[in-house]
Amino acid sequence: SCPTNAKYRTYDGSCNNLIYPSWGKANTAQRRFDHNGDLMIDYDEDNSPRGGFPSNLPSPRLISNKLMADELGPNDQASLTLSGQHFAFGQALTHDLIKTQVKRDLKCCENNDIDVCFPFDIPADDKDFTPGCRSFQRTERSPDVTDYREQINDVTSYIDCSHVYGSSDAQLATLRDTTDSSLLKISPGNNLPENVNGFCVKIDPVADFCQLTGDSRTDQAPSLQLNHLVLVREHNRIAKLLKQINSEWGNDRVFEETRRIVIAEMQHITYKEYLPAILSPQTMKKYKLKPKQIGFDDCYNDKIDASVRNAFAVAPFRMGHSQAMREQSLLEDDYKTITTELLADNFRAPHLIQTNMGKNVEDFIRWLTFKPANRIDSFGVNAMRNKLFGGDTDLLSINIQRGRDQGTPSYNDWREFCGLERLNFKNFKVHNDVENVLKELYASADDVDLYVGGLLEKSKKGRVGETFACLIGKQFYLTKCGDRYWYERRDSDFGFTKAQLNSIKEITMSKVLCENLGLDRIQKEAFIRPKNERKLTKCKNLPELNLNLWKENTGNKETYKRDTMKLLKNVVDSNTFDITLMITLLRNLTNMYPPHDGFDCLPTPNETTPGADLARIKYYRNYLAHLDEGKVESTEFKSAWENISEVLEDLAILPNLGPEEMLKYRKGEAVIKR
Ligand code: HEM
Ligand SMILES: [Ca+2]
């Protein structure tokens, strides 16, 4: 029993879909893509991993050594298009969308139970790791699905900043400030708060502390920590302003309204900036991912389950692991002086962003936005491939093994799913001589793992290849059109007003970074690598969120009474119940936000609130009524006509009629379809 008109999302994602309240909820089963009615699953017998156990597929570490080692790739791994912040935001976005439940408490080389353990081989000639058995624990099985083994998503599947606010009410309670509950907790220096039960690496054993956010993985890398910090600061910045603007609002109201705005920013930045940087315009269009420039847009469909599809997180979206840079460095505001910090030395360490009470943060975001990410390709830096989390761990081989663990079909099956041709070794669209390497590794081209084949695909302009584009496109379509609270929706219960929405649509990643991290210059598109320092813009020139649009109009009762009484005195019948009176009543009896220059002037075209629309009607009514000869120039008439039609369409009163149709309508010869 979900409330049907709740203004704010729940924290665990329940009741987003009113028919199936558990869709997209935290701690429920993931889902599989389906291909003409068949679910895309490929387990061996009894839900054991694809390839069986012992596996008849090549060792994932062997694949990683032969195809993914840094030194096999181009000398310069830098992306020509994407900035380091693209990589950094991608990890935060991932953590908003998914956390596949897995325990990491077993020594799997001593445990033969294939239901929980799936160890793999380190090849005899491995340069970096000790050859032999490598432990690997399988992801947990959801009790909700009985037909086959399905994994669990611990967090909400929606883009709802669950990585900032948590995925349950209980988690939220630990994150809100205890003195001012409209705010999120911070630590001195406006940093992330401490997680006393956290697990992290303290480079400075006295000053460093593990950090608390809505997601337990935050400390994994400084670039991720920074993307948490920026949203916590954005929340607190907006909440303080909203409280000034609406002093009568209580803390809960301020908190929830702020959360709604921060989530909208996250959704907008994802679809307007992050995705177009890795998907072609055609892919964006095909999956309806492109936000409308201005105004509402609604593709919500209650038959769409936004739950994260298993295959999306197990392979395509792990492309981000190849974007990781060797460094996580600091760049001073001369754009020249760099303090080099290595990723390998900073895994799980909050030191970098906590040093000097957070004074490094500005230099760090300058480096992340100014310097490139690594290319999306099959190669991973040494830190990720050999030294993950300070140990001898290879994340890329884990990704391959994870795909098999979760019964992910092979690369070719996914190509077929996406309507692409299946490939044999010869026509594998690969770089250089990889055809022979693949042949040596796999018995058949149909065995190739999705993660491997997908990353080997060529692509243009720093984007992902065609198979990953298809799967990422499909997932983000579901994430958008399966979210009842999608920020672009027109809804009187929980939607933004058109003016509020348009203001949100002007916000960019760059502006959010500027507002909260102390920068004074940045490129307009934070995910795109700037050519040089001259390409940077002053932060203050980037559009800002107009929070005045959130002012609740409580009105001045005395003026209202006086005005209304004056007008009502003249009302004798419906003929004299005129536009002026109608507007007075609407502006005083509803929460309508007044136009910038009040109701008595013609608002400028960029004002799109209902209040501005009414002021336009009022203006033209007075203008036309007061014409001396009852005549009007045809250009003026046309412009007035267009303005009024737009206004009426906006107010959803009439569809866009031309003058002749309007005449027919007036004469009763035409019927208006709403
Ligand atoms: C330094 C940066 C990063 C580190 C240290 C890191 C580390 C990890 C680790 C340890 C896992 C779990 C692997 C497993 O046991 O299966 C993982 C999963 C994953 N990562 Fe990353 N990652 C990083 C950046 C990224 C980026 C930039 C993206 C995407 C743009 C990304 C996307 C994913 C996805 C989709 C998963 C699967 C999540 C799940 O199903 O729970 N990661 N990552
Ligand atoms: Ca979420």
Side-chain angles (χ1 to χ4, degrees), residues 272-288:
K272 176 80 186 194
E273 300 188 72
Y274 177 85
L275 291 175
I278 49 166
L279 302 176
S280 69
Q282 294 86 315
T283 306
M284 290 295 293
K285 198 160 171 215
K286 179 166 179 193
Y287 298 106
K288 299 194 168 71

Side-chain angles (χ1 to χ4, degrees), residues 582-616:
M582 180 183 82
I583 286 175
T584 310
L585 290 174
L586 282 172
R587 69 198 252 198
N588 288 303
L589 290 178
T590 67
N591 283 337
M592 189 168 293
Y593 190 78
H596 191 263
D597 296 321
F599 280 98
D600 302 326
C601 302
L602 183 64
T604 54
N606 60 5
E607 278 195 80
T608 48
T609 53
D613 281 343
L614 284 179
R616 281 188 190 99

Side-chain angles (χ1 to χ4, degrees), residues 30 87 90-91 94-95 98-100 104 217 220-221 274 312-313 317-321 323-324 343 347 384 388-389 395 398-399 402:
Q30 298 180 23
F87 148 80
Q91 193 180 12
T94 298
H95 294 184
I98 189 154
K99 183 176 174 212
T100 303
R104 300 183 198 262
R217 295 163 291 186
Q220 279 189 349
Y274 177 85
F312 165 80
F317 221 54
R318 296 191 189 210
M319 57 80 201
H321 293 161
Q323 291 185 286
L343 173 61
F347 281 128
M384 300 291 265
L388 187 75
F389 300 149
L395 186 52
I398 290 174
N399 293 341
R402 191 63 75 204

